[in-house]
């Protein structure tokens, strides 16, 4: 994560693009002792992430930290991963500001660190999670019940004056 560079292409309003593709996976690598195993299909709890963001997850870890001392090493590793995710988001926010991409820069003031407050921010969070999972070499990322977890953000945006046409354009 720390070696990733921010890349915005044109008037990109979502970010989280890659300069380099992940290295190809050796199909025999899982047979090598001690090799990193790569996951196949994965469904993320998008609803929870959209609601709480990275800061919400960090708070949950801190809450559990005092309860289960046997898991301190796990919690420390989780916090390290989340801090790396935060650093990538910061790189994109800084690049968006530098390039005058005000729409993305403004959204990245909130997400992915905090819960999404609009359909657009929720889409950025989904894109961000896909980006992070690709870095972790997750090969097949499904969107799960996109309609269910995105509905509250659709409603928020409609209620704040965003048109269905604008939401459709963002989705496409």
């Amino acid at each position: 994560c720390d070696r990733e560079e921010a890349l915005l292409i044109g008037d990109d309003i979502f970010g989280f693009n890659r300069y380099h593709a992940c290295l190809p996976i050796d199909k025999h690598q899982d047979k090598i002792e001690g090799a990193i195993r790569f996951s196949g299909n994965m469904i993320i709890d998008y609803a929870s992430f959209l609601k709480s963001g990275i800061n919400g997850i960090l708070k949950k870890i801190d809450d559990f930290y005092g309860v289960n001392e046997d898991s301190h090493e796990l919690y420390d590793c989780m916090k390290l991963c989340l801090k790396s995710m935060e650093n990538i988001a910061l790189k994109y926010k800084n690049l968006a500001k530098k390039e005058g991409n005000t729409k993305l820069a403004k959204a990245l003031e909130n997400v992915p660190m905090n819960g999404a407050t609009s359909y657009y921010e929720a889409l950025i969070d989904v894109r961000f999670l896909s980006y992070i999972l690709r870095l972790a070499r997750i090969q097949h990322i499904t969107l799960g019940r996109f309609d269910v977890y995105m509905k509250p953000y659709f409603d928020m945006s409609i209620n704040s004056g965003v048109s269905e046409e604008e939401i459709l354009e963002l989705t496409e």
Side-chain angles (χ1 to χ4, degrees), residues 133-165:
L133 291 170
R134 295 243 183 256
L135 288 179
R137 293 194 164 180
I138 306 300
Q139 295 300 304
H140 188 252
I141 303 165
T142 64
L143 292 176
R145 289 298 308 271
F146 183 85
D147 59 321
V148 173
Y149 59 80
M150 291 298 287
K151 178 77 164 100
Y153 305 98
F154 173 89
D155 292 341
M156 279 184 222
S157 291
I158 292 293
N159 291 337
S160 70
V162 177
S163 71
E164 287 190 25
E165 292 78 20

Side-chain angles (χ1 to χ4, degrees), residues 14 119 123 146 150 154 165-172:
F14 292 102
Y119 189 81
L123 285 173
F146 183 85
M150 291 298 287
F154 173 89
E165 292 78 20
E166 290 173 274
I167 289 175
L168 177 60
E169 179 68 25
L170 288 171
T171 305
E172 289 176 340

Side-chain angles (χ1 to χ4, degrees), residues 16-113:
F16 305 106
N17 305 292
R18 304 272 333 267
Y19 273 104
H20 311 286
C22 287
L23 297 173
I25 294 174
D26 180 350
K27 65 181 177 180
H28 302 291
Q29 189 168 5
D30 64 342
K31 296 177 184 170
I32 301 169
E33 186 176 329
I36 297 172
R37 287 177 170 70
F38 302 100
S39 177
N41 296 349
M42 182 163 291
I43 298 175
I44 307 305
D45 183 358
Y46 291 103
S48 293
F49 188 83
L50 295 175
K51 185 176 180 181
S52 68
I54 292 171
N55 285 332
I57 297 170
L58 285 168
K59 183 182 179 327
K60 283 182 185 178
I61 292 170
D62 286 341
D63 291 347
F64 288 126
Y65 202 86
V67 175
N68 190 348
E69 292 181 17
D70 294 336
S71 298
H72 282 189
E73 185 176 2
L74 170 65
Y75 297 145
D76 289 341
C77 289
M78 292 168 73
K79 288 171 88 170
L80 179 65
C81 290
L82 289 163
K83 287 296 182 182
S84 291
M85 291 168 62
E86 178 180 359
N87 289 339
I88 288 174
L90 183 60
K91 288 177 187 180
Y92 272 91
K93 180 173 75 172
N94 291 339
L95 181 61
K97 284 180 181 177
K98 180 181 173 186
E99 292 191 1
N101 189 333
T102 55
K103 182 173 179 126
L104 180 59
K106 184 176 183 222
L108 292 175
E109 290 291 333
N110 188 47
V111 293
M113 295 309 299

Side-chain angles (χ1 to χ4, degrees), residues 5-21:
E5 299 174 45
L7 171 65
L8 295 175
I9 301 168
D11 294 330
D12 182 3
I13 60 168
F14 292 102
F16 305 106
N17 305 292
R18 304 272 333 267
Y19 273 104
H20 311 286

